[in-house]
């Protein structure tokens, strides 16, 4: 069974994307608005995350309780979130309920109630998220590493800080909404069982009068030092290691992704085998490719004991430095099996496909078919990966550690304390 793909641009700057999967009885949607952390400033950090909660506390003709009950009655499995680039809402449901559900979300992005008492409730949710994050040292290490790899605000976490969220007011949040929650460059992606002609008419009716508005130049700041140590009295040490890579839009992205997959995907990967299994240095270790629109990075993490932290970092760097010497066919064969499993599972999920459509349009300006992904995968070979690594070896590492002791890092890395 093969999907059919559609796209439509509206006069207000909104783009509708769709993938027809007629063998399903369900549909999924993703509404992606470029109002993420990239639009924030030092003075309003965390405002997009707060808005994500506040707008879901009543919109159109529905108060907060009615909003929840309406979506529950339609059987919508839903969520909302904030990334570096976007404020997003999405859901999966029976195909017959798609139009009614999109009507509720049209009110959410255009006619939220913004009640003062609901603002305080939304703020308290943000504080709870921040306190949970404070207790998660793994995440704290990776958040620091992101800020080493990407300039502010791209490296910021959506939750902001306790001080920045405390200072947020209704007026600040409304101003952010009025400036950035707009149809300009927004994307609505739908995947599943639907009629394309009717879907276009529905989106025109519901979102066609959403007024486009000019934005303003986004704030761009600095990055953290190459080595950051955050003192913490513990028997454990959290190690974050990163280096620059290529973004998804780069033709070599899947060569980079395959190289890091050989390092980290599965229990046969190099990091898992060498750092954890053979040497027993840590209880968890991984690496992943991360991509903004124009920048990419490899972010790696290990959780270990204070006594073994230095050796853990040294071996991680050693393994990455060994990578340009070449990957093997058996490693690639295992990785391709994992990749193909992922492609097959994505083909069976309307939610995954809706999210993928929106991501492709944002990063590439077009839809990638599943057949194209399969062709890309088939074209990856030991020779193509090794050629990429020869031109793009891991280098200029960034390191974050959280624990009782600072670690020794390569001499070219300058350091700082948090």
């Amino acid at each position: 069974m093969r999907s059919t793909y559609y796209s439509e641009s509206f006069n207000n700057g909104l783009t509708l994307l769709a993938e027809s999967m007629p063998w399903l009885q369900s549909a999924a949607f993703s509404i992606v608005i470029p109002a993420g952390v990239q639009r924030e400033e030092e003075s309003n950090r965390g405002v997009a995350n707060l808005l994500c909660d506040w707008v879901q506390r009543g919109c159109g003709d529905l108060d907060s309780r009615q909003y929840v009950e309406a979506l529950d009655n339609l059987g919508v499995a839903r969520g909302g979130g904030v990334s570096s680039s976007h404020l997003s809402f999405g859901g999966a449901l029976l195909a017959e309920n798609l139009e009614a559900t999109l009507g509720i979300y049209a009110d959410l992005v255009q006619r939220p109630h913004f009640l003062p008492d609901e603002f305080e409730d939304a703020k308290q949710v943000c504080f709870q998220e921040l306190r949970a994050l404070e207790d998660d040292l793994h995440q704290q290490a990776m958040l620091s590493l992101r800020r080493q790899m990407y300039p502010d605000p791209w490296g910021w976490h959506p939750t902001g800080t306790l001080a920045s969220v405390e200072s947020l007011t209704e007026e600040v949040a409304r101003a952010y909404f009025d400036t950035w929650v707009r149809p300009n460059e927004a994307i609505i992606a739908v995947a599943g069982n639907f009629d394309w002609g009717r879907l276009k008419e529905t989106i025109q009716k519901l979102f066609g009068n959403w007024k486009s508005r000019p934005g303003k130049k986004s704030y761009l700041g600095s990055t953290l030092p190459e080595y950051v140590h955050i003192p913490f009295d513990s028997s454990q040490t959290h190690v974050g290691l990163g280096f620059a890579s290529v973004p998804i839009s780069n033709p070599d992205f899947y060569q980079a992704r395959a190289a890091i997959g050989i390092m980290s995907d599965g229990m046969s990967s190099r990091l898992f085998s060498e750092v954890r299994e053979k040497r027993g240095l840590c209880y968890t270790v991984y690496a992943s490719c991360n991509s903004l629109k124009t920048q990419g990075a490899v972010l790696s993490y290990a959780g270990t004991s204070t006594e073994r932290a230095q050796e853990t970092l040294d071996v991680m760097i050693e393994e990455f430095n060994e990578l340009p010497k070449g990957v093997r066919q058996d490693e690639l064969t295992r990785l391709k099996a994992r990749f193909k499993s992922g492609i097959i599972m994505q083909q069976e999920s309307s939610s995954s496909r809706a999210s993928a459509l929106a991501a492709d349009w944002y990063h590439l300006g077009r839809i990638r078919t599943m057949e194209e992904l399969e062709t890309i995968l088939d074209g990856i070979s030991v020779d193509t990966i090794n050629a990429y690594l020869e031109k793009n070896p891991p280098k200029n590492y960034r390191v974050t550690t959280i624990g009782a002791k600072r670690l020794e890092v390569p001499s070219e890395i300058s350091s700082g304390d948090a």
Side-chain angles (χ1 to χ4, degrees), residues 181-196:
V181 180
R182 55 193 184 132
N184 313 56
E185 301 179 49
I187 300 165
I188 298 177
V190 176
N193 194 333
F194 59 84
D195 177 83
W196 172 239

Side-chain angles (χ1 to χ4, degrees), residues 260-275 277 285-286 319 331 334:
I260 299 308
I262 286 169
M263 287 293 289
S264 185
D265 285 17
M267 297 177 68
S268 299
S269 64
R270 293 188 183 187
L271 284 177
F272 190 92
S273 297
E274 190 64 35
V275 183
E277 292 299 292
V285 62
Y286 67 83
E319 286 300 309
E331 294 176 313
R334 284 194 296 268

